Amino acid sequence: MGRFCLISLPPSPTTSSFPTYSLGCSLMAIEAARLSPSIAAAAFLASRPPLALRPFSLRRRFPLLRVLANSSGGDGRVVALSSSELRKRRGLSSSSGAADSASDGDEKLRSLRRLFARPDVAIDAYIVPSQDAHQSEFIAECFTRRAYLTGFTGSAGTAVVTKNKAALWTDGRYFLQAEKELSHHWTLMRSGNHGVPTTSEWLNDVLPSGCRVGIDPFLFSFDAAEELKDSIANKNHELVLVQGMNLVDEIWGDARPNPPKEPTRVHDIKYAGIDVPSKLSFIRSQLAENGCDAVVISMLDEVAWLLNMRGSDVPHSPVFYSYLIVEVSTATLFVDNSKVSKDVLEHLEQAGVKLKPYEAIISEVERKKILRQFNRENIIFAMLLLIKTLIALSRLAEKGAKLWLDSSSVNAAIITAFKSSCDMKKKGKAGEEVGEKEASSNDRITGDPSVHNGVISAVYNVSPVALAKSVKNDAEIEGMKNSHLRDAAALAEFWCWLEEEICKSVPLTEVQIAEKLLEFRQKQDGFIETSFDTISGYGANGAIIHYRPTPESCSSVGSDNLFLLDSGAQYIDGTTDITRTVHFGEASPRQKECFTRVLQGHIALDQAVFPERTPGFVLDVLARSSLWKIGLDYRHGTGHGVGAALNVHEGPQSISYRYGNLTALQKGMIVSNEPGYYEDNSFGIRIENLLLVKELNLANSFGGISYLGFEKLTFVPIQSKLIESSLMSPSEINWVNDYHEEVWEKVSPLLSGHSRDWLWKNTRPLLDV
């Protein structure tokens, strides 16, 4: 069993002082004062068994869930080369700008390591993950700590800094990007590659036995923190919850951006389909079935969906920073009051949702003390938001409420605070802090995971909102279909324009093309913003799976190589995500074969028929099989869930080679179909449509079960000249022809002039050769 330690820091030289509270309050209040939202480390969880297969055990003091620890191993392990080593081997030289960046990165590391030595910190390593306290993939700029520290701007990755080493873990989507962006001070760890250690395995290798590994508990989910604690225990390391400040925030200082203050809005019932009282009624029925009194909702898209609200705090995602607690007879939204307009307030009141002002949460004495000590607007905002959430949880614990907690998404700080409150209630000593006592391995309760110290206090399960949100209702499906048709019209106009410009040899960069696409989308009714940063990659840049062009370093697009464009939009009634790969000149035989095999995988998945209760990973092989036949593959999943006028990446469903996700695909879910192939430093290919899972009417029903298939939502031509027809079967050629006929029928009424002519030309049938 590994050691687990909590330290609470006194005021740092760069922040105001803060009073010492009992563990229950200080854990949230101190954290809130410095805006420290958290993440579940996705890199840790990707290789782990699903939660349903992990044994539960609860501990008395800091009750992190018990999971199987990793073996540290070490002998013969392959250690990834640093980015500088890779550049040397490839003959790449650094520009002066890169040198400046390296110098800056080195200073950040030096500043961070100086904090390690402070007596009140006293750690040997510090882990910096990517997301915010709500597990958001896209986050507000003020929470991009890992990007600030490392210079790597990809959306997924974990940085680990020791006293003399610094390493960054990311997955195959970002290998090439990380090589370009990391300075020589960082070692790139290519997660998933053979022989590459996990973060905990690496720490066990590079640190001597008995070291202290620090984390911000708001930046790890409950499950991820427990997994990390058990893994590093193999070398007798201690996991330290650093309270009072985030170490990256300390070195970021006053340059750190302020948190968002954007207003929220009501998501109209004609798009939402189900009103808020009905959704809350469903959640309460789930509480009753599971014997719970309340549930904490921390995922931002879940709060937005449940309350039929939208916001704009996070780029590309119509969500707002908040928490929601739903009880048997009440519901309370914790959000900055300044974001709530009169219309939104009326909407919430009609649904029976309370919106508590900050000053009503904390006692007058505490409130005045806090407001005297913190005068920065952004600190007050986050501090009070998290304080009031904690106090509500503490009150639930005091009442002996049985709480439903999704330990895979709710951060370790919140759940630990709730457990601490339960402990203090049981002991009957209001001023006693659990952290002052040692945990006992004999104090665990086996069996029911909801039992803690003999008191039923919590149930750990996936949020009841997650699955309900993923299965779209009729209004959401209609909105998704309508928004995709408008988006298709914008894309047809865009591709028509781009082809004409390239034919005229007009110089255009990847960034200019992305900006022009945005202009065409902005003309469509209901457009709000992009659903992610447009991936506009020409030639070798297309091989960077999640490439993001910048004006300083982007390429010009021409007619000598493939051009990959992955883009999407947020509309008032739906969310889109589409990728097309084209060539404005003559593709090589190699490029045409690779494109055709990617298309064959796309067709195979699109045509899949499968029994109900089939998890998405079962279908992943269909998209890869054609590539496998010639020894090719791609380093990303084949499909992700998509929200309805919500996040472009949505769980719990997916189609991926990662077999840990056992979520079954269900009628009404929406997933992407996006196989690809990427030839490093040469070109990239991806073809992506969105699909709606539907029930099929078949001649048979073996075992009395239903069979499912897919309905296309995306209607944009696939470039025919890149298809090597000789590799295609007659049925595959028919699929392309049928698809293009459907594209013409659905999208042509929305077009006129040159763009309509372009659509006609690009939807002509393939010849069966």
Coordinates of all heavy atoms in Angstrom, one line a residue, residues 611-638:
P611 N -25.4 -6.5 -33.7 CA -26.5 -6.7 -32.7 C -26.4 -5.6 -31.6 O -25.3 -5.1 -31.3 CB -26.2 -8.1 -32.1 CG -24.7 -8.3 -32.4 CD -24.4 -7.6 -33.6
E612 N -27.5 -5.4 -31.0 CA -27.6 -4.4 -29.9 C -26.6 -4.9 -28.8 O -26.3 -6.1 -28.7 CB -29.0 -4.3 -29.3 CG -29.6 -5.6 -28.8 CD -31.0 -5.3 -28.3 OE1 -31.4 -4.2 -28.0 OE2 -31.8 -6.3 -28.2
R613 N -26.2 -4.0 -27.9 CA -25.3 -4.2 -26.9 C -23.8 -4.5 -27.4 O -23.0 -5.0 -26.6 CB -25.7 -5.4 -25.9 CG -27.1 -5.1 -25.3 CD -27.3 -6.1 -24.2 NE -27.6 -7.5 -24.7 CZ -28.7 -7.9 -25.1 NH1 -29.8 -7.1 -25.1 NH2 -28.9 -9.2 -25.6
T614 N -23.6 -4.1 -28.6 CA -22.2 -4.2 -29.1 C -21.4 -3.0 -28.8 O -21.8 -1.9 -29.1 CB -22.2 -4.4 -30.7 OG1 -22.9 -5.6 -31.0 CG2 -20.8 -4.5 -31.2
P615 N -20.3 -3.2 -28.1 CA -19.4 -2.0 -27.8 C -18.7 -1.5 -29.1 O -18.4 -2.3 -30.0 CB -18.4 -2.5 -26.7 CG -18.4 -4.0 -26.9 CD -19.8 -4.4 -27.4
G616 N -18.3 -0.3 -29.1 CA -17.7 0.3 -30.3 C -16.4 -0.3 -30.7 O -16.1 -0.4 -31.9
F617 N -15.6 -0.8 -29.7 CA -14.3 -1.3 -30.1 C -14.4 -2.6 -31.0 O -13.5 -2.9 -31.8 CB -13.4 -1.6 -28.9 CG -13.8 -2.9 -28.1 CD1 -13.3 -4.1 -28.6 CD2 -14.6 -2.9 -27.0 CE1 -13.6 -5.3 -27.9 CE2 -14.9 -4.0 -26.4 CZ -14.4 -5.3 -26.8
V618 N -15.5 -3.3 -31.0 CA -15.7 -4.5 -31.8 C -15.7 -4.1 -33.3 O -15.3 -4.9 -34.1 CB -17.0 -5.2 -31.4 CG1 -17.3 -6.3 -32.4 CG2 -17.0 -5.7 -30.0
L619 N -16.2 -2.9 -33.6 CA -16.3 -2.4 -35.0 C -15.0 -1.8 -35.5 O -14.9 -1.6 -36.8 CB -17.4 -1.4 -35.1 CG -18.8 -1.9 -34.6 CD1 -19.8 -0.8 -34.8 CD2 -19.2 -3.2 -35.3
D620 N -14.1 -1.5 -34.7 CA -12.9 -0.8 -35.1 C -12.1 -1.5 -36.2 O -11.6 -0.9 -37.1 CB -12.0 -0.5 -33.9 CG -10.8 0.4 -34.2 OD1 -10.9 1.6 -34.4 OD2 -9.7 -0.2 -34.3
V621 N -12.0 -2.8 -36.1 CA -11.3 -3.6 -37.1 C -11.8 -3.4 -38.5 O -11.0 -3.5 -39.5 CB -11.3 -5.1 -36.7 CG1 -12.7 -5.6 -36.8 CG2 -10.3 -5.9 -37.6
L622 N -13.1 -3.1 -38.7 CA -13.6 -2.9 -40.0 C -13.0 -1.8 -40.7 O -12.7 -1.8 -41.9 CB -15.1 -2.7 -39.9 CG -16.0 -3.8 -39.3 CD1 -17.4 -3.3 -39.2 CD2 -15.9 -5.1 -40.1
A623 N -12.6 -0.7 -40.0 CA -12.0 0.5 -40.6 C -10.6 0.3 -40.9 O -10.0 1.0 -41.8 CB -12.2 1.7 -39.7
R624 N -9.9 -0.7 -40.3 CA -8.5 -0.8 -40.5 C -8.1 -2.0 -41.4 O -7.0 -2.1 -41.9 CB -7.8 -1.1 -39.1 CG -8.0 0.1 -38.1 CD -7.4 -0.2 -36.8 NE -7.8 0.7 -35.8 CZ -7.2 1.9 -35.5 NH1 -6.0 2.1 -36.1 NH2 -7.6 2.7 -34.6
S625 N -9.0 -2.9 -41.6 CA -8.7 -4.1 -42.3 C -8.0 -3.9 -43.7 O -7.0 -4.6 -44.0 CB -10.0 -5.0 -42.5 OG -9.7 -6.2 -43.1
S626 N -8.6 -3.0 -44.5 CA -8.0 -2.8 -45.8 C -6.6 -2.2 -45.7 O -5.7 -2.6 -46.5 CB -8.9 -1.8 -46.6 OG -8.4 -1.6 -47.9
L627 N -6.3 -1.4 -44.7 CA -4.9 -0.9 -44.5 C -4.0 -2.0 -44.0 O -2.8 -2.2 -44.5 CB -4.9 0.2 -43.5 CG -5.4 1.6 -44.1 CD1 -5.7 2.5 -42.9 CD2 -4.5 2.2 -45.1
W628 N -4.5 -2.8 -43.1 CA -3.7 -3.9 -42.6 C -3.2 -4.9 -43.7 O -2.1 -5.5 -43.5 CB -4.5 -4.7 -41.5 CG -4.7 -4.0 -40.2 CD1 -4.1 -2.8 -39.8 CD2 -5.5 -4.4 -39.1 NE1 -4.5 -2.5 -38.6 CE2 -5.4 -3.4 -38.1 CE3 -6.3 -5.5 -38.9 CZ2 -6.0 -3.5 -36.9 CZ3 -7.0 -5.6 -37.7 CH2 -6.8 -4.7 -36.7
K629 N -4.0 -5.0 -44.7 CA -3.7 -6.0 -45.8 C -2.4 -5.6 -46.5 O -1.7 -6.5 -47.1 CB -4.8 -6.1 -46.8 CG -6.0 -6.8 -46.3 CD -7.2 -6.7 -47.3 CE -8.4 -7.4 -46.7 NZ -9.6 -7.4 -47.7
I630 N -1.9 -4.4 -46.4 CA -0.6 -4.0 -46.9 C 0.3 -3.4 -45.9 O 1.3 -2.7 -46.2 CB -0.8 -2.9 -48.1 CG1 -1.5 -1.7 -47.6 CG2 -1.6 -3.6 -49.3 CD1 -1.4 -0.5 -48.6
G631 N 0.0 -3.8 -44.6 CA 0.9 -3.4 -43.5 C 0.8 -2.0 -43.0 O 1.8 -1.5 -42.5
L632 N -0.3 -1.3 -43.2 CA -0.4 0.1 -42.8 C -1.5 0.2 -41.7 O -2.3 -0.7 -41.5 CB -0.8 0.9 -44.0 CG 0.1 1.0 -45.2 CD1 -0.4 1.9 -46.2 CD2 1.5 1.4 -44.7
D633 N -1.5 1.3 -41.0 CA -2.4 1.5 -39.9 C -2.4 3.0 -39.5 O -1.7 3.8 -40.2 CB -2.0 0.7 -38.7 CG -3.1 0.4 -37.7 OD1 -4.2 1.0 -37.8 OD2 -2.9 -0.4 -36.8
Y634 N -3.1 3.4 -38.5 CA -3.1 4.8 -38.0 C -3.2 4.8 -36.5 O -3.7 3.9 -35.9 CB -4.3 5.6 -38.6 CG -5.6 5.0 -38.5 CD1 -6.5 5.3 -37.5 CD2 -6.1 4.1 -39.5 CE1 -7.8 4.7 -37.4 CE2 -7.4 3.5 -39.4 CZ -8.2 3.8 -38.4 OH -9.5 3.3 -38.3
R635 N -2.6 5.9 -35.9 CA -2.4 5.9 -34.5 C -3.5 6.8 -33.8 O -3.2 7.6 -33.0 CB -1.1 6.6 -34.2 CG 0.1 5.8 -34.6 CD 1.4 6.4 -33.9 NE 2.6 5.7 -34.3 CZ 3.4 6.1 -35.3 NH1 3.1 7.3 -35.9 NH2 4.5 5.5 -35.6
H636 N -4.8 6.5 -34.1 CA -5.8 7.1 -33.4 C -7.1 6.3 -33.5 O -7.1 5.3 -34.2 CB -6.1 8.6 -33.9 CG -6.5 8.6 -35.4 ND1 -7.7 8.3 -35.8 CD2 -5.8 9.1 -36.4 CE1 -7.8 8.5 -37.1 NE2 -6.6 8.9 -37.5
G637 N -8.1 6.6 -32.6 CA -9.3 5.9 -32.7 C -10.0 6.1 -34.0 O -9.8 7.1 -34.7
T638 N -11.0 5.3 -34.3 CA -11.8 5.5 -35.5 C -13.0 6.4 -35.4 O -13.4 7.0 -36.3 CB -12.2 4.1 -36.1 OG1 -11.0 3.3 -36.3 CG2 -13.0 4.2 -37.3

